Amino acid sequence: MNDELRERVEREAEKHALLNAVKHESDANVGAVMGPLMGENPDFREHADAVPGVVGGVVGRVNDLEYEDKRARLEELAPEELAEIEAEDEEDEHDLPDLSSADDYDEVRMRCAPNPNGPWHIGHARMPAVIGTYEERYDGWFCVRFDDTDPETKRPDLEAYDQIIRDIEYLGFEPDATFKASDRVETYYDHARQLIEMDGAYTCSCSGEEFSELKNAGEPCPHRGKDRETTLEEFDAMIAGEYESGEMVLRVKTDIEHKNPALRDWVAFRMIDTPHPREEASEYRCWPMLDFQSGVDDHLLEITHIIRGIDLQDSAKRQRFVYDYFDWEYPEVVHWGHVQLDEYDVKMSTSRIQELIQGGELAGWDDPRAPTVMSLRRRGIRGEAITEAMIGLGTSTSDVDLAMSSIYANNRDLIDEETDRRFLVRDGTELSLAGDAPTEANPPLHPNHEDRGVREIPAGDSVLLEPDDLPAREERIWLKGLGCFRYTRDALQYTGDDIDVVRDGEVDVIHWVPAAESVPVRLRTMDGDVEGRAEPGVADLESDDMVQFERVGFARIDSVAPRATDDTSGRSPRDRHEDGETVAYYAHP
């Protein structure tokens, strides 16, 4: 990051930090600043590793100001934004807009309705984050309803049901109830029969091409005038599995001349020959389409508010025809745009991720290169950090950009104070030590918490440095925790200079590890695996411990290599490494 860009980042970060601090009359929050900062300045994203550090310094300086000084500075930098803040009613403000007509209901009831055709990508986290937040705000109710009535095109993954519930809990929410649509097929049959009795549906054996031509011409299907008895008989034959896939469907009677052809006599049930993967539902061959199934369930579950993508606007219009037949009141609807994600090379698509896993290009759903909730969890990113970022996107009908840096900033706020520091050197170069250098370094476990103690790092006869940190001839460097050294005679010669050379900006502080007693670490990142050596104490960490590798970033310890005396007989292959490596998953800078 050059000086000009750094000045821009600092200027924009100061404005957003002041906006955040004045708006909430509290200290600014790095996570809350990162979202709008990166959203308004997309050219910052290629420097996502460096921007949070700059922002953190600016936020710290802003937080040192008194409230009136913050307000005065904001009035100088962004008077229009300050005026907007002061015009708002702070008491009624939320990150999410109020739900329409929420006060008209005894209880706000919402549903999260995933298709369990695979574990969740990151975009899926938006729905439970928003619904769960609304449920807490209104002291309402929300359920998870698995819309799993397509055993062919979006075939359910049996493991995804439980994994999705685990993801929702990881994000910080616990559903009040859970349903599977594939358990409720008889309920949909009952309502279809009632609709037929109302003359609101008919069986149709037209081919897709034939019906499409009629529909587009605004002409009725020749089967539309069937009597109810015939339709009921043929529908029962569908249920009995007497038709093959594509041979017969049940259509809802709408307006065959409706201005939107997509709403004309839409399909409510179709035949599918592929058995459902759930044994309990494997005998069914007549399956409801999502618009019918979801519409019926929303009424029976007394859903008051639905949140769905803007691309599903026609679903609400189709379902209203069924609601009109049954004289039901349709729920309030919020439509929102799609989430677009930066940083990842892999498309945020369940089917695409699945293809890459099956093709061996990804190791699994929790591969750090996969844009999935499981991957973020394995990297040590807390669900709360994701939820906060999703809430910050609001419910706009426009597509929205989610900067991963905002999730990282939220997570950093959550874990920084409790995460100990360690040294890790990647692709290290060995240099000998010379002179009367200390034999052991004792840097603090955490710079802000002296009470936690220090690390004991033996220096030995030589150390490993990262290639970018190698000094030029006769250049001095400060090995953190050990002291000042000059590179001369193919060795690092201890100089005995005190810390003032660092404070005066004459010498760079470098992290290092002992060449002899360091331990091998494999760091799994979004760009692939990185091999390195860590200070000896890393071998004493445990799986799920978080660590900040100084000047590298935060990481979650995934598995620890057993020492030579460890009994490995009880370890699974996932936790045992023949090469003796400790495996860590990189979280973020």
Side-chain angles (χ1 to χ4, degrees):
M1 182 184 296
N2 59 38
D3 292 342
E4 181 181 352
L5 179 61
R6 178 179 289 273
E7 288 179 7
R8 279 189 58 213
V9 172
E10 289 181 340
R11 185 168 59 250
E12 290 295 305
E14 183 183 12
K15 181 187 78 172
H16 286 291
L18 289 166
L19 283 168
N20 181 249
V22 172
K23 184 176 184 178
H24 298 288
E25 297 188 20
S26 64
D27 284 346
N29 178 281
V30 174
V33 170
M34 285 297 299
L37 176 72
M38 301 300 270
E40 291 183 10
N41 301 275
D43 58 314
F44 290 177
R45 292 178 184 170
E46 61 182 290
H47 305 280
D49 287 351
V51 168
V54 178
V55 172
V58 172
V59 168
R61 293 195 294 273
V62 167
N63 289 342
D64 286 339
L65 300 175
E66 297 295 331
Y67 174 78
E68 289 304 322
D69 294 329
K70 293 174 184 173
R71 186 193 173 285
R73 178 59 175 160
L74 182 58
E75 186 170 24
E76 178 184 339
L77 293 179
E80 293 181 1
E81 286 91 336
L82 176 62
E84 290 179 6
I85 291 175
E86 293 183 337
E88 294 175 353
D89 183 355
E90 293 289 339
E91 294 181 0
D92 295 334
E93 184 181 349
H94 296 281
D95 289 325
L96 294 171
D98 291 339
L99 287 173
S100 175
S101 304
D103 293 338
D104 295 342
Y105 299 94
D106 293 335
E107 182 179 52
V108 169
R109 295 172 65 89
M110 308 184 76
R111 45 76 162 174
C112 179
N115 185 313
N117 61 326
W120 272 355
H121 59 63
I122 296 171
H124 286 127
R126 187 183 186 191
M127 184 66 75
V130 170
I131 288 178
T133 300
Y134 275 132
E135 186 267 346
E136 291 175 352
R137 183 194 302 184
Y138 291 104
D139 192 22
W141 178 95
F142 91 94
C143 71
V144 173
R145 188 188 69 225
F146 291 104
D147 288 347
D148 61 346
T149 57
D150 184 352
E152 189 171 57
T153 307
K154 290 195 172 183
R155 187 168 178 77
D157 177 346
L158 292 179
E159 295 182 359
Y161 293 90
D162 289 339
Q163 181 59 52
I164 288 172
I165 295 297
R166 287 194 292 269
D167 285 347
I168 292 173
E169 292 172 347
Y170 158 63
L171 293 169
F173 306 101
E174 183 176 350
D176 295 288
T178 303
F179 304 95
K180 297 181 179 72
S182 58
D183 284 336
R184 299 166 60 81
V185 177
E186 296 296 336
T187 297
Y188 312 134
Y189 289 165
D190 290 343
H191 283 78
R193 292 188 181 99
Q194 294 177 48
L195 192 60
I196 294 169
E197 293 284 2
M198 298 174 185
D199 198 27
Y202 63 95
T203 46
C204 170
S205 58
C206 291
S207 69
E209 294 77 10
E210 290 172 337
F211 186 83
S212 182
E213 290 180 6
L214 292 169
K215 177 185 70 174
N216 291 334
E219 298 178 6
C221 164
H223 308 105
R224 201 173 197 265
K226 285 180 184 177
D227 59 74
R228 301 170 189 176
E229 291 73 18
T230 301
T231 296
L232 279 171
E233 288 176 5
E234 291 181 345
F235 182 63
D236 284 337
M238 289 176 66
I239 293 173
E242 296 178 14
Y243 297 104
E244 295 181 0
S245 179
E247 188 177 354
M248 184 73 74
V249 299
L250 182 73
R251 295 186 179 277
V252 175
K253 284 186 181 180
T254 63
D255 178 359
I256 200 61
E257 296 180 347
H258 196 285
K259 63 181 181 180
N260 183 352
L263 307 186
R264 298 172 185 173
D265 287 15
W266 50 274
V267 174
F269 285 81
R270 79 293 202 204
M271 302 299 299
I272 295 180
D273 291 334
T274 304
H276 198 284
R278 292 185 66 232
E279 185 177 351
E280 301 91 329
S282 61
E283 298 300 319
Y284 291 114
R285 293 294 180 271
C286 177
W287 286 97
M289 298 293 285
L290 181 61
D291 284 331
F292 188 87
Q293 168 254 305
S294 179
V296 169
D297 276 337
D298 286 340
H299 171 74
L300 297 180
L301 297 175
E302 300 179 330
I303 300 301
T304 62
H305 293 78
I306 298 170
I307 299 179
R308 56 163 60 113
I310 192 71
D311 57 317
L312 297 177
Q313 284 181 305
D314 282 349
S315 289
K317 296 173 183 177
R318 279 190 283 265
Q319 291 171 345
R320 286 182 188 276
F321 285 103
V322 174
Y323 273 62
D324 288 344
Y325 277 117
F326 285 103
D327 196 24
W328 295 341
E329 182 179 351
Y330 200 76
E332 309 286 339
V333 181
V334 175
H335 287 109
W336 60 17
H338 293 291
V339 174
Q340 301 173 122
L341 191 66
D342 66 0
E343 287 202 20
Y344 286 92
D345 294 328
V346 177
K347 181 181 178 182
M348 199 162 57
S349 160
T350 300
S351 58
R352 178 57 180 156
I353 296 169
Q354 199 163 45
E355 288 174 4
L356 294 174
I357 292 172
Q358 292 172 348
E361 296 182 54
L362 292 176
W365 290 96
D366 56 3
D367 189 305
R369 298 165 294 177
T372 61
V373 176
M374 288 176 66
S375 171
L376 294 186
R377 186 172 191 171
R378 195 167 189 189
R379 288 168 57 190
I381 294 172
R382 294 189 181 177
E384 183 182 346
I386 304 170
T387 293
E388 288 180 4
M390 291 297 180
I391 295 305
L393 298 177
T395 57
S396 168
T397 55
S398 301
D399 289 349
V400 290
D401 293 329
L402 173 63
M404 286 302 299
S405 55
S406 65
I407 293 179
Y408 299 158
N410 291 340
N411 199 61
R412 193 179 300 108
D413 285 345
L414 293 170
I415 69 173
D416 184 40
E417 288 300 309
E418 63 188 51
T419 303
D420 289 339
R421 278 41 171 172
R422 300 287 181 177
F423 291 154
L424 171 72
V425 170
R426 300 159 293 184
D427 191 24
T429 299
E430 184 173 352
L431 292 177
S432 299
L433 297 182
D436 191 20
T439 59
E440 182 179 275
N442 299 115
L445 279 166
H446 195 290
N448 299 337
H449 299 280
E450 294 182 1
D451 56 309
R452 293 188 197 169
V454 298
R455 296 120 69 187
E456 298 175 355
I457 309 175
D461 296 328
S462 58
V463 297
L464 299 178
L465 303 184
E466 295 203 344
D468 290 345
D469 291 335
L470 293 177
R473 288 285 180 177
E474 302 305 321
E475 182 183 359
R476 290 180 299 171
I477 57 174
W478 187 278
L479 297 185
K480 190 168 184 179
L482 202 59
C484 189
F485 293 79
R486 186 187 301 277
Y487 185 42
T488 184
R489 299 192 187 93
D490 295 324
L492 291 174
Q493 181 75 34
Y494 183 64
T495 68
D497 292 320
D498 63 27
I499 195 65
D500 287 341
V501 296
V502 173
R503 297 191 181 111
D504 294 340
E506 300 175 16
V507 174
D508 290 333
V509 177
I510 304 300
H511 70 283
W512 57 279
V513 295
E517 298 191 48
S518 57
V519 295
V521 171
R522 180 173 297 274
L523 186 65
R524 293 196 161 146
T525 78
M526 293 173 64
D527 297 319
D529 287 4
V530 176
E531 295 182 2
R533 307 281 299 187
E535 63 182 72
V538 169
D540 297 323
L541 299 176
E542 297 182 357
S543 179
D544 284 333
D545 282 347
M546 290 299 296
V547 61
Q548 182 185 352
F549 290 124
E550 298 194 40
R551 302 176 67 231
V552 176
F554 291 90
R556 173 188 157 274
I557 301 299
D558 192 70
S559 56
V560 181
R563 295 182 180 275
T565 57
D566 284 351
D567 177 11
T568 63
S569 60
R571 293 175 177 259
S572 68
R574 184 185 185 98
D575 294 330
R576 186 169 62 246
H577 303 279
E578 295 178 359
D579 53 11
E581 291 178 323
T582 288
V583 176
Y585 276 65
Y586 183 73
H588 50 74

